[in-house]
Amino acid sequence: MTIVVQTDIFSRVVTGRTDSSSESVISSPGPERSSKTRAEYDAYVAIVRAAEEMNRDFVELLRPDDLSITQYNVLRILRGAGDAGLSCGQVGDRLIRHDPDITRLLDRLERRELVTRTRDVADRRVVRTSITSDGLRLLARLDPRVDELHEVHLGHLSEARLEELRNLVEESRARR
């Protein structure tokens, strides 16, 4: 029963709907399944749909700057790393969405002069990537637009509800 309530809470929280219209567009895995299985499926579909809607809006936000979501994520990661930068593996470990070819991703950002790569002085085998001043300026210009988009997607929720939502999603991820 709790999962059904959490499913309903999630779909209503993310979509901002107060009616049950979200339930009518989510199809069940079949009547032969248990109510818990149907609730798990409905929760999964609600999460995927919400993520897809948010993702589409984010792609549109980044399009004028010719950035992919993964490139944007790399720039944010490198901004957080500071002047020391990170190795290619460290960048890959911190990505939200797995990318099998971090090197080419970094190559594209380097060609645009948004990142720079240098050999580590302590271990010449390691190449460290850092964000450039152009990359920092691009992020600074994008920050207010990103904040506005988050407000559009989630601004109708209180901090307590956002924390609850984050905890539920993190709890589902922890099961892997």
Side-chain angles (χ1 to χ4, degrees):
M1 186 57 135
T2 303
I3 291 183
V4 172
V5 171
Q6 289 177 348
T7 300
D8 186 51
I9 288 171
F10 184 83
S11 68
R12 290 176 191 209
V13 159
V14 173
T15 63
R17 293 182 181 139
T18 56
D19 61 0
S20 57
S21 62
S22 60
E23 295 166 25
S24 64
V25 293
I26 298 176
S27 60
S28 298
E32 68 283 352
R33 304 269 172 68
S34 70
S35 63
K36 183 173 188 295
T37 298
R38 284 192 302 272
E40 291 165 343
Y41 178 81
D42 288 348
Y44 168 80
V45 171
I47 291 167
V48 170
R49 280 191 172 164
E52 185 57 32
E53 287 175 22
M54 291 178 187
N55 190 54
R56 242 188 336 263
D57 291 345
F58 209 75
V59 166
E60 288 305 312
L61 181 140
L62 297 173
R63 186 180 314 271
D65 293 293
D66 195 29
L67 274 183
S68 70
I69 291 175
T70 305
Q71 289 171 330
Y72 172 77
N73 189 217
V74 166
L75 293 175
R76 284 187 57 248
I77 289 166
L78 292 173
R79 176 172 60 183
D83 293 337
L86 296 170
S87 70
C88 190
Q90 290 171 318
V91 170
D93 289 344
R94 295 176 187 189
L95 283 174
I96 293 171
R97 188 176 284 158
H98 174 73
D99 189 309
D101 199 352
I102 303 297
T103 302
R104 285 194 186 142
L105 178 71
L106 294 174
D107 286 344
R108 288 189 295 274
L109 292 171
E110 188 174 39
R111 277 193 300 273
R112 291 182 61 187
E113 299 181 356
L114 299 173
V115 302
T116 185
R117 291 186 275 191
T118 56
R119 293 257 173 221
D120 187 293
V121 289
D123 185 348
R124 301 278 304 150
R125 296 171 296 176
V126 176
V127 176
R128 302 196 73 74
T129 305
S130 301
I131 191 167
T132 64
S133 56
D134 286 348
L136 289 171
R137 277 193 296 278
L138 176 59
L139 285 181
R141 195 167 41 78
L142 287 170
D143 284 343
R145 293 178 14 213
V146 170
D147 293 346
E148 288 172 18
L149 186 58
H150 291 321
E151 174 69 26
V152 167
H153 289 147
L154 300 166
H156 61 285
L157 302 174
S158 68
E159 284 186 48
R161 295 288 298 224
L162 288 167
E163 182 70 18
E164 178 184 6
L165 176 60
R166 188 188 60 77
N167 287 337
L168 288 170
V169 173
E170 289 295 328
E171 187 177 327
S172 74
R173 287 183 61 228
R175 300 283 303 176
R176 287 184 23 121

